[in-house]
Amino acid sequence: MQNTVAQSDILFRRIAWRLVPLILAMYVAAFLNRVNVGFAALTMNRDLGFSPEVYGVGAGIFFWGYFLFEVPSNLIMEKVGARIWICRIMLTWGLVSMATAFVTGPYSFYAMRFVLGLAEAGLYPGILLYFTYWFPAATRALIIALFCMGIPAANLLGSPLSGWLLGIETAGLHGWQWMYLLEAIPTLLLGVAVLVWMPDNPAKASWLTGPEKTAVLARLAEDPKPEVHGLGEMLKDWRVWALIIPDFAIVFGIYALGLWMPTMVKAMGYSNLETSFVVMVPYVFSLAVLWAFGVSSDRSGKRVLHFCLSALLASVGFAIAAVGGNDVIVIIGFCLASGGVFSGLATFWTIPPLFLGGTAAAGAFALINSFGNLSGFFGPAMMGWLRQATGDYKAGLWACVAVPVIAALSMALLSKSFTRKA
Protein backbone atom coordinates (compact mmCIF):
# COMPACT_ATOMS: atom_id res chain seq x y z
CA MET A 1 0.00 0.00 0.00
CA GLN A 2 2.77 2.44 0.94
CA ASN A 3 4.52 1.62 -2.33
CA THR A 4 1.34 2.43 -4.28
CA VAL A 5 0.97 5.78 -2.48
CA ALA A 6 4.62 6.62 -3.14
CA GLN A 7 4.22 5.83 -6.84
CA SER A 8 1.11 8.02 -6.96
CA ASP A 9 2.98 10.91 -5.33
CA ILE A 10 5.79 10.57 -7.87
CA LEU A 11 3.26 10.62 -10.70
CA PHE A 12 1.60 13.80 -9.44
CA ARG A 13 4.99 15.47 -8.97
CA ARG A 14 5.80 14.64 -12.59
CA ILE A 15 2.47 16.10 -13.71
CA ALA A 16 3.18 19.24 -11.68
CA TRP A 17 6.58 19.63 -13.36
CA ARG A 18 4.92 19.34 -16.78
CA LEU A 19 2.05 21.75 -16.15
CA VAL A 20 2.89 24.23 -13.39
CA PRO A 21 5.93 25.95 -15.00
CA LEU A 22 3.91 26.78 -18.13
CA ILE A 23 0.91 27.90 -16.09
CA LEU A 24 3.12 29.95 -13.79
CA ALA A 25 4.73 31.64 -16.82
CA MET A 26 1.23 32.40 -18.15
CA TYR A 27 0.18 34.04 -14.92
CA VAL A 28 3.41 36.02 -14.67
CA ALA A 29 2.64 37.41 -18.14
CA ALA A 30 -1.00 38.01 -17.23
CA PHE A 31 -0.27 39.90 -14.07
CA LEU A 32 2.57 41.86 -15.64
CA ASN A 33 0.24 43.12 -18.38
CA ARG A 34 -2.39 43.89 -15.75
CA VAL A 35 -0.28 45.89 -13.29
CA ASN A 36 2.53 47.36 -15.41
CA VAL A 37 0.26 50.38 -15.49
CA GLY A 38 1.64 51.05 -11.99
CA PHE A 39 5.10 51.67 -13.49
CA ALA A 40 3.71 53.37 -16.60
CA ALA A 41 2.12 55.89 -14.23
CA LEU A 42 5.56 57.17 -13.20
CA THR A 43 5.85 58.97 -16.55
CA MET A 44 2.55 58.34 -18.40
CA ASN A 45 0.56 60.46 -15.92
CA ARG A 46 2.82 63.44 -16.58
CA ASP A 47 2.86 62.96 -20.37
CA LEU A 48 -0.93 62.65 -20.62
CA GLY A 49 -1.83 65.05 -17.79
CA PHE A 50 -3.53 62.44 -15.59
CA SER A 51 -4.41 63.38 -11.99
CA PRO A 52 -4.08 60.74 -9.23
CA GLU A 53 -7.84 60.26 -9.34
CA VAL A 54 -7.91 59.74 -13.15
CA TYR A 55 -5.08 57.23 -12.88
CA GLY A 56 -6.73 55.39 -9.97
CA VAL A 57 -10.04 55.04 -11.84
CA GLY A 58 -8.32 53.96 -15.06
CA ALA A 59 -6.11 51.44 -13.30
CA GLY A 60 -9.12 49.90 -11.60
CA ILE A 61 -11.69 49.99 -14.42
CA PHE A 62 -9.99 46.87 -15.79
CA PHE A 63 -11.96 44.92 -13.19
CA TRP A 64 -15.38 45.96 -14.48
CA GLY A 65 -14.63 44.34 -17.82
CA TYR A 66 -13.22 41.36 -15.92
CA PHE A 67 -16.41 41.21 -13.81
CA LEU A 68 -18.79 41.19 -16.77
CA PHE A 69 -17.16 38.34 -18.70
CA GLU A 70 -15.74 36.18 -15.90
CA VAL A 71 -18.61 33.70 -15.42
CA PRO A 72 -19.42 33.29 -19.15
CA SER A 73 -15.72 32.77 -19.87
CA ASN A 74 -15.33 29.98 -17.32
CA LEU A 75 -18.49 28.20 -18.48
CA ILE A 76 -17.29 28.41 -22.09
CA MET A 77 -13.95 26.91 -21.05
CA GLU A 78 -15.70 23.96 -19.45
CA LYS A 79 -17.51 23.33 -22.76
CA VAL A 80 -14.72 23.87 -25.33
CA GLY A 81 -11.71 22.81 -23.21
CA ALA A 82 -8.92 24.62 -21.44
CA ARG A 83 -6.35 24.46 -24.24
CA ILE A 84 -8.28 26.37 -26.90
CA TRP A 85 -9.98 28.82 -24.54
CA ILE A 86 -6.90 29.82 -22.55
CA CYS A 87 -5.00 30.29 -25.83
CA ARG A 88 -7.78 32.68 -26.95
CA ILE A 89 -7.63 34.58 -23.67
CA MET A 90 -3.89 35.12 -23.89
CA LEU A 91 -3.78 36.19 -27.53
CA THR A 92 -6.57 38.75 -27.14
CA TRP A 93 -5.25 40.33 -23.96
CA GLY A 94 -1.73 40.49 -25.39
CA LEU A 95 -3.01 42.49 -28.36
CA VAL A 96 -5.09 44.81 -26.16
CA SER A 97 -2.13 45.40 -23.85
CA MET A 98 -0.06 46.45 -26.85
CA ALA A 99 -2.80 48.81 -27.96
CA THR A 100 -2.68 50.59 -24.57
CA ALA A 101 0.61 52.12 -25.73
CA PHE A 102 -1.41 54.44 -27.98
CA VAL A 103 -3.91 55.94 -25.52
CA THR A 104 -4.10 59.72 -25.76
CA GLY A 105 -6.24 60.81 -22.81
CA PRO A 106 -8.47 59.68 -19.94
CA TYR A 107 -11.26 58.18 -22.07
CA SER A 108 -9.06 56.09 -24.34
CA PHE A 109 -7.14 54.99 -21.23
CA TYR A 110 -10.37 53.93 -19.53
CA ALA A 111 -11.51 52.11 -22.68
CA MET A 112 -8.30 50.11 -23.10
CA ARG A 113 -8.23 49.09 -19.44
CA PHE A 114 -11.88 48.01 -19.62
CA VAL A 115 -11.32 45.95 -22.79
CA LEU A 116 -8.19 44.40 -21.25
CA GLY A 117 -10.40 43.15 -18.43
CA LEU A 118 -12.86 41.64 -20.91
CA ALA A 119 -10.02 39.93 -22.75
CA GLU A 120 -8.38 38.41 -19.66
CA ALA A 121 -11.59 37.40 -17.87
CA GLY A 122 -11.67 33.70 -17.08
CA LEU A 123 -7.94 32.98 -16.90
CA TYR A 124 -7.57 32.84 -13.12
CA PRO A 125 -10.75 30.89 -12.26
CA GLY A 126 -10.19 28.77 -15.37
CA ILE A 127 -6.80 27.65 -14.08
CA LEU A 128 -8.27 26.97 -10.63
CA LEU A 129 -10.86 24.74 -12.29
CA TYR A 130 -8.15 23.14 -14.43
CA PHE A 131 -6.21 22.15 -11.29
CA THR A 132 -9.24 20.20 -10.04
CA TYR A 133 -8.95 18.03 -13.19
CA TRP A 134 -5.37 17.08 -12.33
CA PHE A 135 -4.58 17.27 -8.60
CA PRO A 136 -6.28 15.75 -5.53
CA ALA A 137 -7.59 18.14 -2.89
CA ALA A 138 -4.92 17.18 -0.32
CA THR A 139 -2.12 18.55 -2.52
CA ARG A 140 -3.91 21.53 -4.01
CA ALA A 141 -2.88 24.31 -1.58
CA LEU A 142 0.78 24.07 -2.57
CA ILE A 143 -0.12 23.83 -6.28
CA ILE A 144 -2.31 26.94 -6.01
CA ALA A 145 0.43 28.67 -3.99
CA LEU A 146 2.90 27.93 -6.78
CA PHE A 147 0.40 29.35 -9.27
CA CYS A 148 -0.16 32.46 -7.13
CA MET A 149 3.59 33.00 -7.08
CA GLY A 150 3.00 34.35 -10.56
CA ILE A 151 1.74 37.59 -9.00
CA PRO A 152 4.82 38.50 -6.95
CA ALA A 153 7.05 36.95 -9.65
CA ALA A 154 5.48 39.26 -12.25
CA ASN A 155 6.24 42.24 -10.04
CA LEU A 156 9.68 40.89 -9.15
CA LEU A 157 10.69 40.41 -12.78
CA GLY A 158 8.66 43.27 -14.12
CA SER A 159 9.93 45.90 -11.68
CA PRO A 160 13.50 46.21 -13.01
CA LEU A 161 12.35 45.53 -16.58
CA SER A 162 9.67 48.21 -16.42
CA GLY A 163 12.02 50.65 -14.72
CA TRP A 164 14.57 50.13 -17.51
CA LEU A 165 12.00 50.38 -20.31
CA LEU A 166 10.71 53.69 -18.95
CA GLY A 167 14.07 55.18 -19.88
CA ILE A 168 13.73 54.35 -23.59
CA GLU A 169 12.81 57.32 -25.79
CA THR A 170 13.10 56.36 -29.47
CA ALA A 171 11.12 56.13 -32.72
CA GLY A 172 8.79 58.85 -31.47
CA LEU A 173 7.54 56.75 -28.56
CA HIS A 174 7.92 57.32 -24.83
CA GLY A 175 9.31 54.71 -22.45
CA TRP A 176 5.89 53.78 -21.04
CA GLN A 177 4.69 53.09 -24.60
CA TRP A 178 7.64 50.79 -25.29
CA MET A 179 6.90 49.06 -21.99
CA TYR A 180 3.33 48.22 -23.05
CA LEU A 181 4.47 47.03 -26.49
CA LEU A 182 7.41 44.87 -25.43
CA GLU A 183 5.94 43.36 -22.27
CA ALA A 184 2.98 41.99 -24.26
CA ILE A 185 5.18 39.87 -26.54
CA PRO A 186 5.72 37.00 -24.03
CA THR A 187 1.94 36.77 -23.60
CA LEU A 188 1.44 36.19 -27.32
CA LEU A 189 4.21 33.55 -27.43
CA LEU A 190 2.80 31.75 -24.40
CA GLY A 191 -0.65 31.73 -25.99
CA VAL A 192 0.79 29.65 -28.83
CA ALA A 193 2.66 27.43 -26.32
CA VAL A 194 -0.63 26.65 -24.54
CA LEU A 195 -2.11 25.40 -27.80
CA VAL A 196 0.82 23.02 -28.26
CA TRP A 197 1.66 21.82 -24.72
CA MET A 198 -1.39 22.14 -22.45
CA PRO A 199 -3.78 19.13 -22.63
CA ASP A 200 -7.40 19.68 -21.58
CA ASN A 201 -7.32 16.88 -18.98
CA PRO A 202 -5.39 13.71 -18.02
CA ALA A 203 -7.24 11.60 -20.58
CA LYS A 204 -5.85 13.79 -23.39
CA ALA A 205 -2.25 13.94 -22.14
CA SER A 206 -0.02 12.20 -24.71
CA TRP A 207 2.84 12.10 -22.17
CA LEU A 208 0.86 9.89 -19.76
CA THR A 209 0.58 6.13 -20.36
CA GLY A 210 -2.77 4.36 -20.16
CA PRO A 211 -2.11 3.00 -16.65
CA GLU A 212 -0.92 6.44 -15.50
CA LYS A 213 -4.12 8.08 -16.74
CA THR A 214 -6.13 5.45 -14.88
CA ALA A 215 -4.09 6.03 -11.71
CA VAL A 216 -4.66 9.81 -11.85
CA LEU A 217 -8.40 9.46 -12.33
CA ALA A 218 -8.60 6.83 -9.56
CA ARG A 219 -6.78 9.08 -7.10
CA LEU A 220 -9.04 12.03 -7.96
CA ALA A 221 -12.07 9.78 -7.46
CA GLU A 222 -10.95 9.16 -3.87
CA ASP A 223 -11.62 12.80 -2.94
CA PRO A 224 -14.82 13.20 -0.91
CA LYS A 225 -17.73 14.01 -3.19
CA PRO A 226 -18.83 17.68 -3.04
CA GLU A 227 -22.35 18.49 -1.92
CA VAL A 228 -23.13 20.89 -4.77
CA HIS A 229 -22.67 20.04 -8.49
CA GLY A 230 -25.20 21.94 -10.62
CA LEU A 231 -25.04 25.60 -11.65
CA GLY A 232 -28.53 26.26 -10.30
CA GLU A 233 -27.67 24.66 -6.96
CA MET A 234 -24.53 26.76 -6.77
CA LEU A 235 -26.40 30.02 -7.39
CA LYS A 236 -28.84 29.19 -4.58
CA ASP A 237 -26.13 28.29 -2.06
CA TRP A 238 -25.63 31.23 0.31
CA ARG A 239 -22.08 30.11 1.14
CA VAL A 240 -20.93 30.88 -2.41
CA TRP A 241 -22.19 34.44 -2.14
CA ALA A 242 -20.80 34.85 1.36
CA LEU A 243 -17.31 33.79 0.22
CA ILE A 244 -17.21 36.90 -1.95
CA ILE A 245 -16.60 38.96 1.22
CA PRO A 246 -13.24 37.45 2.29
CA ASP A 247 -12.07 37.18 -1.32
CA PHE A 248 -12.94 40.83 -2.03
CA ALA A 249 -11.17 41.91 1.15
CA ILE A 250 -7.93 40.00 0.54
CA VAL A 251 -7.73 40.99 -3.14
CA PHE A 252 -8.26 44.63 -2.13
CA GLY A 253 -4.80 44.65 -0.57
CA ILE A 254 -3.15 42.96 -3.55
CA TYR A 255 -4.15 45.70 -5.97
CA ALA A 256 -3.72 48.57 -3.54
CA LEU A 257 -0.09 47.42 -3.29
CA GLY A 258 0.46 46.37 -6.90
CA LEU A 259 -0.92 49.51 -8.50
CA TRP A 260 0.28 52.11 -5.97
CA MET A 261 3.45 50.78 -4.35
CA PRO A 262 5.74 52.02 -7.18
CA THR A 263 4.29 55.52 -6.82
CA MET A 264 4.57 55.43 -3.02
CA VAL A 265 8.20 54.28 -3.18
CA LYS A 266 9.03 56.90 -5.83
CA ALA A 267 7.61 59.56 -3.50
CA MET A 268 10.30 58.62 -0.96
CA GLY A 269 12.79 60.27 -3.31
CA TYR A 270 14.05 57.38 -5.43
CA SER A 271 14.65 57.49 -9.18
CA ASN A 272 12.53 55.34 -11.52
CA LEU A 273 15.23 52.64 -11.69
CA GLU A 274 15.88 52.74 -7.93
CA THR A 275 12.13 52.47 -7.34
CA SER A 276 11.99 49.34 -9.47
CA PHE A 277 14.63 47.62 -7.32
CA VAL A 278 13.13 48.70 -3.99
CA VAL A 279 9.71 47.39 -5.06
CA MET A 280 11.27 43.97 -5.70
CA VAL A 281 11.99 43.44 -1.99
CA PRO A 282 8.40 42.83 -0.78
CA TYR A 283 7.77 40.44 -3.65
CA VAL A 284 10.85 38.34 -2.81
CA PHE A 285 9.58 38.11 0.76
CA SER A 286 6.08 37.14 -0.37
CA LEU A 287 7.42 34.19 -2.41
CA ALA A 288 8.87 32.67 0.76
CA VAL A 289 5.62 33.26 2.70
CA LEU A 290 3.54 31.72 -0.11
CA TRP A 291 5.63 28.57 -0.10
CA ALA A 292 5.57 28.23 3.70
CA PHE A 293 1.81 28.73 3.98
CA GLY A 294 1.11 26.37 1.06
CA VAL A 295 3.15 23.55 2.60
CA SER A 296 1.74 24.13 6.09
CA SER A 297 -1.85 24.28 4.82
CA ASP A 298 -1.53 20.97 2.94
CA ARG A 299 0.12 19.23 5.90
CA SER A 300 -2.40 20.40 8.48
CA GLY A 301 -5.52 20.60 6.31
CA LYS A 302 -6.54 23.72 8.28
CA ARG A 303 -7.45 25.94 5.35
CA VAL A 304 -9.52 28.55 7.20
CA LEU A 305 -6.90 29.00 9.93
CA HIS A 306 -4.18 29.65 7.36
CA PHE A 307 -6.38 32.13 5.51
CA CYS A 308 -7.15 34.06 8.70
CA LEU A 309 -3.49 34.16 9.76
CA SER A 310 -2.53 35.43 6.30
CA ALA A 311 -5.13 38.20 6.44
CA LEU A 312 -4.00 39.33 9.89
CA LEU A 313 -0.36 39.34 8.74
CA ALA A 314 -1.39 41.64 5.88
CA SER A 315 -3.20 43.97 8.29
CA VAL A 316 -0.14 44.23 10.54
CA GLY A 317 2.03 44.96 7.51
CA PHE A 318 -0.19 47.78 6.28
CA ALA A 319 -0.26 49.26 9.81
CA ILE A 320 3.54 49.27 10.01
CA ALA A 321 3.75 50.96 6.58
CA ALA A 322 1.15 53.55 7.63
CA VAL A 323 2.99 54.41 10.87
CA GLY A 324 6.28 54.57 8.95
CA GLY A 325 9.07 56.58 10.51
CA ASN A 326 11.69 55.88 7.86
CA ASP A 327 11.99 54.12 4.50
CA VAL A 328 13.18 50.82 6.00
CA ILE A 329 10.16 50.53 8.30
CA VAL A 330 7.77 51.28 5.45
CA ILE A 331 9.38 48.62 3.24
CA ILE A 332 9.20 46.09 6.11
CA GLY A 333 5.49 46.89 6.32
CA PHE A 334 5.10 46.35 2.59
CA CYS A 335 6.90 42.98 2.93
CA LEU A 336 4.52 41.73 5.61
CA ALA A 337 1.46 43.08 3.79
CA SER A 338 2.58 41.49 0.53
CA GLY A 339 3.26 38.11 2.13
CA GLY A 340 -0.11 38.19 3.88
CA VAL A 341 -2.30 39.07 0.93
CA PHE A 342 -0.67 36.62 -1.47
CA SER A 343 -0.70 33.66 0.93
CA GLY A 344 -4.29 34.54 1.82
CA LEU A 345 -5.30 34.46 -1.84
CA ALA A 346 -3.68 31.06 -2.39
CA THR A 347 -5.27 29.53 0.71
CA PHE A 348 -8.68 30.98 -0.08
CA TRP A 349 -9.09 28.95 -3.26
CA THR A 350 -8.68 25.63 -1.45
CA ILE A 351 -11.94 26.34 0.40
CA PRO A 352 -14.73 26.45 -2.27
CA PRO A 353 -13.97 22.87 -3.48
CA LEU A 354 -14.79 21.65 0.04
CA PHE A 355 -18.44 21.75 -0.99
CA LEU A 356 -18.48 22.48 -4.76
CA GLY A 357 -17.75 20.26 -7.76
CA GLY A 358 -18.33 20.02 -11.53
CA THR A 359 -20.22 22.86 -13.17
CA ALA A 360 -20.93 24.32 -9.73
CA ALA A 361 -17.19 24.71 -9.13
CA ALA A 362 -16.65 26.24 -12.59
CA GLY A 363 -19.40 28.80 -12.04
CA ALA A 364 -18.49 29.54 -8.43
CA PHE A 365 -14.78 30.06 -9.13
CA ALA A 366 -15.73 32.63 -11.75
CA LEU A 367 -18.55 34.22 -9.75
CA ILE A 368 -16.53 34.66 -6.56
CA ASN A 369 -13.46 35.82 -8.45
CA SER A 370 -15.40 38.32 -10.57
CA PHE A 371 -16.98 40.02 -7.56
CA GLY A 372 -13.80 39.71 -5.50
CA ASN A 373 -11.73 41.32 -8.22
CA LEU A 374 -13.96 44.39 -8.24
CA SER A 375 -11.83 45.34 -5.25
CA GLY A 376 -9.14 45.85 -7.89
CA PHE A 377 -11.25 48.82 -8.98
CA PHE A 378 -12.22 50.14 -5.56
CA GLY A 379 -8.77 49.67 -3.95
CA PRO A 380 -6.72 51.69 -6.46
CA ALA A 381 -9.52 54.24 -6.94
CA MET A 382 -9.81 54.73 -3.17
CA MET A 383 -6.04 55.13 -2.84
CA GLY A 384 -6.08 57.75 -5.60
CA TRP A 385 -9.01 59.64 -4.10
CA LEU A 386 -7.52 59.66 -0.59
CA ARG A 387 -4.12 60.68 -1.94
CA GLN A 388 -5.68 63.61 -3.75
CA ALA A 389 -7.89 64.57 -0.79
CA THR A 390 -5.25 64.35 1.96
CA GLY A 391 -1.98 64.98 0.13
CA ASP A 392 -0.30 61.76 1.27
CA TYR A 393 -0.73 57.96 1.23
CA LYS A 394 -1.31 57.28 4.93
CA ALA A 395 -5.10 57.47 4.84
CA GLY A 396 -5.19 54.86 2.08
CA LEU A 397 -2.81 52.59 3.98
CA TRP A 398 -4.95 52.82 7.13
CA ALA A 399 -7.97 51.77 5.07
CA CYS A 400 -5.91 48.78 3.93
CA VAL A 401 -5.31 47.88 7.59
CA ALA A 402 -9.04 47.44 8.21
CA VAL A 403 -9.99 45.48 5.09
CA PRO A 404 -7.91 42.30 5.75
CA VAL A 405 -9.38 42.17 9.27
CA ILE A 406 -12.80 41.96 7.61
CA ALA A 407 -11.45 39.09 5.49
CA ALA A 408 -10.31 37.16 8.58
CA LEU A 409 -13.50 37.75 10.57
CA SER A 410 -15.85 36.85 7.71
CA MET A 411 -13.97 33.64 6.94
CA ALA A 412 -13.90 32.64 10.62
CA LEU A 413 -17.67 33.08 10.80
CA LEU A 414 -18.18 31.07 7.61
CA SER A 415 -15.96 28.17 8.65
CA LYS A 416 -18.67 26.33 10.56
CA SER A 417 -20.84 26.13 7.45
CA PHE A 418 -18.43 23.81 5.58
CA THR A 419 -19.22 20.13 5.93
CA ARG A 420 -15.60 18.95 5.75
CA LYS A 421 -12.60 19.94 7.83
CA ALA A 422 -11.39 23.43 6.87
Side-chain angles (χ1 to χ4, degrees):
M1 179 66 179
Q2 287 183 340
N3 189 45
T4 301
V5 172
Q7 289 177 340
S8 176
D9 290 342
I10 292 171
L11 175 59
F12 281 105
R13 279 199 295 270
R14 184 158 68 86
I15 290 170
W17 277 109
R18 288 295 298 254
L19 296 178
V20 174
L22 174 60
I23 291 171
L24 178 59
M26 288 161 42
Y27 202 48
V28 168
F31 214 82
L32 180 61
N33 292 161
R34 187 187 301 183
V35 302
N36 58 6
V37 67
F39 272 97
L42 299 179
T43 56
M44 178 185 70
N45 290 0
R46 179 198 62 218
D47 292 341
L48 299 180
F50 290 171
S51 68
E53 188 173 2
V54 167
Y55 165 70
V57 171
I61 206 168
F62 165 95
F63 297 97
W64 286 103
Y66 200 85
F67 170 80
L68 290 174
F69 200 50
E70 184 89 325
V71 174
S73 179
N74 225 36
L75 295 178
I76 291 171
M77 192 191 93
E78 194 190 20
K79 298 295 184 184
V80 305
R83 185 175 66 94
I84 292 174
W85 194 244
I86 290 176
C87 172
R88 191 285 305 163
I89 288 173
M90 298 191 71
L91 293 180
T92 51
W93 105 57
L95 293 173
V96 173
S97 187
M98 280 186 164
T100 309
F102 303 104
V103 300
T104 57
Y107 295 112
S108 58
F109 178 52
Y110 295 161
M112 282 297 98
R113 292 291 294 175
F114 179 80
V115 175
L116 184 65
L118 286 177
E120 194 191 315
L123 177 73
Y124 186 83
I127 293 298
L128 294 173
L129 179 64
Y130 186 72
F131 284 151
T132 68
Y133 301 159
W134 290 89
F135 300 103
T139 66
R140 217 172 286 151
L142 182 55
I143 294 297
I144 294 175
L146 291 171
F147 172 49
C148 288
M149 283 180 182
I151 306 176
N155 287 283
L156 182 60
L157 298 173
S159 293
L161 176 61
S162 298
W164 175 70
L165 290 174
L166 285 179
I168 297 177
E169 298 284 334
T170 188
L173 298 177
H174 296 295
W176 60 269
Q177 293 175 297
W178 280 112
M179 186 192 70
Y180 281 127
L181 291 170
L182 297 178
E183 289 184 350
I185 293 173
T187 298
L188 300 176
L189 296 176
L190 285 166
V192 176
V194 165
L195 203 58
V196 176
W197 289 312
M198 188 174 168
D200 288 329
N201 52 56
K204 294 184 179 180
S206 60
W207 38 268
L208 289 177
T209 66
E212 287 174 336
K213 294 175 183 179
T214 301
V216 171
L217 296 174
R219 177 74 182 275
L220 292 172
E222 293 174 3
D223 280 347
K225 297 296 180 286
E227 305 165 49
V228 182
H229 285 272
L231 186 64
E233 292 177 87
M234 180 275 291
L235 291 171
K236 295 175 185 177
D237 195 311
W238 68 270
R239 293 171 296 181
V240 173
W241 296 95
L243 279 170
I244 291 170
I245 298 170
D247 184 45
F248 183 100
I250 206 71
V251 172
F252 186 98
I254 288 176
Y255 289 108
L257 274 177
L259 295 175
W260 278 101
M261 188 160 52
T263 307
M264 288 188 281
V265 172
K266 174 89 182 280
M268 297 175 186
Y270 296 102
S271 69
N272 289 342
L273 190 57
E274 289 169 340
T275 294
S276 69
F277 284 106
V278 172
V279 167
M280 290 172 66
V281 176
Y283 294 117
V284 172
F285 182 83
S286 65
L287 290 173
V289 177
L290 262 171
W291 177 269
F293 270 74
V295 171
S296 178
S297 179
D298 275 343
R299 287 178 178 172
S300 68
K302 296 179 179 179
R303 311 302 195 186
V304 168
L305 175 63
H306 282 78
F307 176 85
C308 293
L309 290 175
S310 297
L312 294 176
L313 177 64
S315 184
V316 169
F318 281 120
I320 291 172
V323 171
N326 59 56
D327 294 357
V328 174
I329 292 175
V330 173
I331 298 304
I332 289 172
F334 287 159
C335 286
L336 296 175
S338 181
V341 293
F342 290 129
S343 60
L345 180 68
T347 307
F348 174 86
W349 289 109
T350 64
I351 294 171
L354 293 174
F355 64 98
L356 297 166
T359 303
F365 285 156
L367 180 70
I368 295 168
N369 194 56
S370 62
F371 276 97
N373 269 281
L374 284 180
S375 63
F377 171 79
F378 291 107
M382 179 210 70
M383 291 287 286
W385 179 77
L386 289 173
R387 168 71 177 84
Q388 194 158 310
T390 65
D392 65 30
Y393 298 101
K394 287 195 173 184
L397 288 170
W398 281 115
C400 290
V401 171
V403 176
V405 174
I406 295 171
L409 289 174
S410 60
M411 184 61 83
L413 291 172
L414 279 169
S415 63
K416 293 181 180 179
S417 69
F418 304 126
T419 58
R420 294 206 296 279
K421 184 180 177 183

